[in-house]
Amino acid sequence: MQLTDPVTAIRGIGDKTADSFRKLNIQTVGDLVNTYPRRYLGYHAPVPVRSAPEMERVTISATISTYVKVHKGPRYVLTTLSAEDGTGSVEMVWFNSPYLRNTFHKGETYCFTGMIRRKGNRRVMEHPEFFTPYKYQEMQSVLQPIYPLTAGVTNNQLRKAMHEIRPVIRQLPDLLSPELCAKYGLISKGQAVESIHFPKDEETLQEAVRRLAFDEFYRFLSDVKTMREENVSLTSDHVLTMEAEAKLRGFLAGLPYQLTKGQEQALQDVVRDMSSGTVMNRLIQGDVGCGKTIVAAAALFVTVLSGYQGALMVPTEVLAMQHFKDLEQLFRPYKLRVALLTGSMSVKEKRAVYEGLKTGEIHVVIGTHALIQERVEYRSLGLVVTDEQHRFGVRQRERLSEKGDLPHVLVMSATPIPRTLAIILYADLDISLITELPGGRKKILNCVVGTDYRPTAYQFIRKEVTSGHQAYVICPKIEDSEGVELEAVNAYAEGLREVYGASVRVATLHGKMKEAEKQQVLQDFVDRKTDVLVSTTVVEVGINNPNATVMMIENAERFGLAQLHQLRGRVGRGDAQSYCIFINCNPTEESKERLTVLEESNDGFHIAAEDLRLRGPGDFFGVRQSGDLMFRLADIYHHADILKMAQDAVLNKDR
């Protein structure tokens, strides 16, 4: 069997299963090999019901104390029973599993694994796994890989398919030499991939993660090094004119506010680069809300007045629409034509934009990945701006650059990365740092509280909504069993609707929704058609709603500090006082120390440095950061030591 063979070459996979696999971008044997587990489940010793923590995956050994009940509701069938162990009882609930009526009997003892939630006076474990005590004893020595799933694909299907191709995995070619592996203490590629899919224990899994994280960083940094070498001192045909620079001063004077020193310095760096006669490749790194966008707008303005076109690429359609409205209003007095280009636009609308870009009638275009489609041609693209760089890959940024004849490149990022790591990750870019916030922005007020504060938080949110503002409530992405993420968000929203009644409009947002649905929910929130948005971390970037003043994050201890800071950055974007409430559902000393950093500081770069210090390099089993430079497995915080090791390897590979 070859890596290029279709998945139908694997025993047990027919055309129907292959169609389902295709939804996960698995079409070949090689695609399957490179589909890594998103996490692992370990089975630890059962704990007494009385001391079992809530909102955390645990196992209890309990005896069924009631008969099984099956209740048919309008949306799903509920199967319930109660189990106790002498210290307390828990109600077990399964969705759409009526067949379990014949599985359980009163007086039998099982080990139940899941997450306990409190609902009124009851403690409930929803959709738990269950094992006989003997079977659970066997499970305690197992690390079970959990794969990314979609409709029609189960975890068992993927595990069986992996077992079928295990001989192929063992024979994977290794791009690193044995000498390089020996120098950095790395196992072979085949060993690493086999251990990722079939870990014997945590030690072998750590070795596998170490090798594969190294590979990702090594490839990325090799690409960055190549780009740097290709771009250094490239002659630019898009030099700013002195007349345009003179008009820029008038543009800045006409703004209703004054730039901060950091914004002024960043803009000076940009103008100097674009006037130098060589191609600019610059990163503006600044905290959430520091005003990077107006610097980019000024750069686009001076680009167009010098006779060239500008493009701004952002990660979501909602953010593209917001930037479009802002820049159109900002540039209207200067008769600069701004256009929007997104995937959801009609064919007719897209054609009109394509034509305007080709002829030069459109001066600035703002959009999503649609900007790098093959059909898009520019008359004279002079500046490419990408927002939230960590949401795009190096090659995607390069593809947009290729749309012009060596245009200038400006990258904006609010991802709080310690400067030591940023220098490595953005080695192909010169860096401008904006450290202060614009005047008039009020400092976000933070509080870290326990679950008993939740009712008070709900009333506080009601007060803010009554005064005309809006709020976010973030639920953690729970991955213990299939479909639970959706249930968690929807169930939480239903609970809020019961609390608030019809006076507060509650909407939901999660990763299982179609892209068009997500965009509509976000747009409705921005348009103030909803008051409270209950969401997973999909709102981490790509939405700007100055009217939202409260961010409440459930299970804050489950997230990395940098990600929590990004989520907090969704509020505090307007003139009103904003608040962030971190609900700590598992108040250990470690979680208290971590969350205190957020309570006491709104400085993203300080938080990033503390995040790195508190996690420590090589912590492979903590909460993974989301979207960091599109690495599939590597994480710049958990694997900072491996990142530095890969940099050393790249810098020395030709010596």
Side-chain angles (χ1 to χ4, degrees), residues 85-114:
D85 69 348
T87 70
S89 65
V90 177
E91 184 178 328
M92 305 296 169
V93 178
W94 290 269
F95 299 97
N96 299 323
S97 304
Y99 57 87
L100 292 176
R101 185 201 313 242
N102 301 317
T103 301
F104 299 113
H105 301 92
K106 188 175 178 180
E108 293 178 335
T109 299
Y110 282 88
C111 291
F112 297 96
T113 300

Side-chain angles (χ1 to χ4, degrees), residues 341-413:
L341 184 60
T342 64
S344 66
M345 290 168 57
S346 69
V347 173
K348 183 178 179 181
E349 290 171 326
K350 288 178 184 175
R351 281 178 183 161
V353 176
Y354 296 156
E355 184 62 26
L357 290 172
K358 192 173 182 179
T359 62
E361 292 177 30
I362 293 174
H363 303 115
V364 175
V365 63
I366 298 155
T368 54
H369 289 85
L371 296 184
I372 56 177
Q373 300 300 315
E374 287 185 14
R375 295 181 182 179
V376 183
E377 295 180 41
Y378 298 83
R379 183 173 181 272
S380 179
L381 183 60
L383 173 64
V384 169
V385 182
T386 58
D387 192 9
E388 293 297 353
Q389 154 68 8
H390 68 300
R391 291 284 161 168
F392 304 108
V394 171
R395 291 302 174 196
Q396 286 171 305
R397 173 157 52 84
E398 192 174 43
R399 280 178 63 192
L400 183 52
S401 299
E402 288 168 356
K403 291 291 181 181
D405 185 15
L406 296 178
H408 299 292
V409 174
L410 181 63
V411 175
M412 299 188 295
S413 178

Side-chain angles (χ1 to χ4, degrees), residues 146-349:
I146 305 298
Y147 291 94
L149 302 175
T150 189
V153 180
T154 68
N155 201 61
N156 280 338
Q157 282 179 310
L158 284 169
R159 290 181 68 192
K160 286 178 182 177
M162 292 297 179
H163 275 284
E164 290 294 329
I165 63 170
R166 197 165 182 172
V168 178
I169 292 173
R170 287 173 177 155
Q171 300 302 317
L172 284 174
D174 203 325
L175 298 178
L176 301 184
S177 68
E179 293 77 19
L180 191 64
C181 289
K183 179 179 179 181
Y184 294 105
L186 303 170
I187 61 175
S188 72
K189 179 68 176 283
Q191 281 179 286
V193 177
E194 184 175 19
S195 293
I196 276 288
H197 293 297
F198 310 99
K200 294 177 184 175
D201 49 40
E202 289 195 357
E203 186 178 347
T204 57
L205 181 58
Q206 282 195 2
E207 288 183 339
V209 171
R210 177 182 170 84
R211 167 59 204 263
L212 297 177
F214 182 94
D215 281 7
E216 287 191 284
F217 286 142
Y218 186 82
R219 284 194 301 270
F220 175 83
L221 294 175
S222 293
D223 284 348
V224 166
K225 183 172 182 279
T226 300
M227 287 181 68
R228 183 72 173 183
E229 291 168 349
E230 290 174 352
N231 292 337
V232 66
S233 300
L234 283 173
T235 302
S236 173
D237 293 329
H238 307 101
V239 180
L240 299 184
T241 64
M242 293 180 65
E243 182 184 0
E245 290 188 50
K247 288 184 178 179
L248 176 61
R249 288 191 287 272
F251 172 79
L252 296 174
L255 295 175
Y257 48 81
Q258 196 168 4
L259 297 186
T260 64
K261 289 183 180 179
Q263 288 173 313
E264 287 179 354
Q265 184 58 57
L267 185 55
Q268 285 178 22
D269 292 342
V270 169
V271 170
R272 184 185 65 248
D273 288 353
M274 295 175 70
S275 304
S276 67
T278 58
V279 175
M280 174 181 72
N281 284 283
R282 180 165 292 278
L283 166 74
I284 297 181
Q285 190 181 19
D287 214 342
V288 175
C290 73
K292 297 180 294 296
T293 305
I294 191 60
V295 176
L300 290 166
F301 175 82
V302 76
T303 296
V304 174
L305 291 191
S306 296
Y308 318 115
Q309 293 167 299
L312 169 60
M313 186 163 73
V314 298
T316 68
E317 292 198 4
V318 171
L319 192 59
M321 175 62 77
Q322 290 170 334
H323 280 324
F324 168 68
K325 289 177 179 177
D326 292 343
L327 291 188
E328 188 181 43
Q329 183 178 359
L330 199 59
F331 292 161
R332 190 177 298 140
Y334 303 94
K335 296 183 171 53
L336 304 187
R337 188 177 169 194
V338 182
L340 179 70
L341 184 60
T342 64
S344 66
M345 290 168 57
S346 69
V347 173
K348 183 178 179 181
E349 290 171 326

